[in-house]
Amino acid sequence: MKFQLQTDEFNVICEIEGGFIMERRKFKRYSGVPIRVLLKDARDGQFKNVEMINISVGGILIRTTDREMRIYDQYILKIEIPIDSVHPLKNLDKDVIFAKGIVWRIEADKEHYKEDNSSNFFYIALRFTQIDEHDKIVISEYLSNFEENVPYE
């Protein structure tokens, strides 16, 4: 059995196979990609370097100790793509992309939990809310040089 959940931003196709729901994401996700991501609050502040866990054309997952981030907070992302003569990429004419994103999900990093709560990490999923169509193409073209390697959970 197959069913589809669709909104303006997402299109998730699910299949029930052997009693289990199999997710079919709209965008492939990639981890271990040499992309640098900086983030700043959309209202003010300076860009801060964040640890990127994975990225897709639709958004990004980061890991941080920042306790100030909340669901629906808006951020500006600076995405730096390493374009150089050693790894020439087909039609890429940009190496810095700016996008706006919204915090869509927050999860505890349970593997690195500390009882004293001093420096616990969180996974923050940001959905792109404003990104130039050309920039989506640049990201997609760059990611096409890698294998999708984020398992469906």
Side-chain angles (χ1 to χ4, degrees):
M1 176 194 303
K2 187 186 257 189
F3 62 95
Q4 186 169 351
L5 307 170
Q6 187 168 2
T7 69
D8 290 340
E9 294 90 19
F10 296 101
N11 180 24
V12 179
I13 298 172
C14 299
E15 291 182 39
I16 297 179
E17 192 174 287
F20 295 99
I21 295 178
M22 307 294 290
E23 176 187 5
R24 303 288 182 246
R25 294 178 176 156
K26 182 175 182 180
F27 302 112
K28 293 180 179 181
R29 295 183 186 157
Y30 301 83
S31 65
V33 178
I35 289 177
R36 182 173 177 225
V37 177
L38 294 104
L39 192 70
K40 83 172 192 169
D41 189 301
R43 294 166 289 170
D44 58 14
Q46 294 183 333
F47 281 104
K48 297 178 199 172
N49 195 25
V50 294
E51 178 186 358
M52 184 193 76
I53 301 300
N54 68 54
I55 186 169
S56 75
V57 175
I60 192 163
L61 180 67
I62 63 169
R63 185 171 170 256
T64 183
T65 57
D66 186 348
R67 296 173 175 275
E68 302 300 314
M69 296 180 82
R70 303 282 182 250
I71 295 288
Y72 306 127
D73 282 354
Q74 296 184 25
Y75 288 87
I76 298 172
L77 295 97
K78 181 178 180 183
I79 303 164
E80 297 179 352
I81 298 174
I83 298 174
D84 58 34
S85 57
V86 178
H87 296 91
L89 299 171
K90 298 176 231 171
N91 300 308
L92 298 185
D93 57 356
K94 294 180 86 165
D95 60 355
V96 176
I97 291 170
F98 289 92
K100 289 186 180 176
I102 188 169
V103 175
W104 205 244
R105 187 178 76 244
I106 299 175
E107 291 180 29
D109 179 352
K110 296 174 186 132
E111 287 183 36
H112 301 98
Y113 171 75
K114 296 180 183 140
E115 285 202 28
D116 67 0
N117 211 13
S118 60
S119 59
N120 285 326
F121 284 91
F122 302 92
Y123 291 107
I124 309 288
L126 292 129
R127 179 175 59 90
F128 295 143
T129 57
Q130 190 175 5
I131 184 168
D132 186 78
E133 284 302 315
H134 178 71
D135 291 344
K136 285 183 183 180
I137 292 168
V138 170
I139 291 171
S140 180
E141 182 74 24
Y142 180 72
L143 293 176
S144 72
N145 292 283
F146 301 90
E147 287 189 36
E148 176 188 19
N149 60 356
V150 178
Y152 299 108
E153 296 178 353

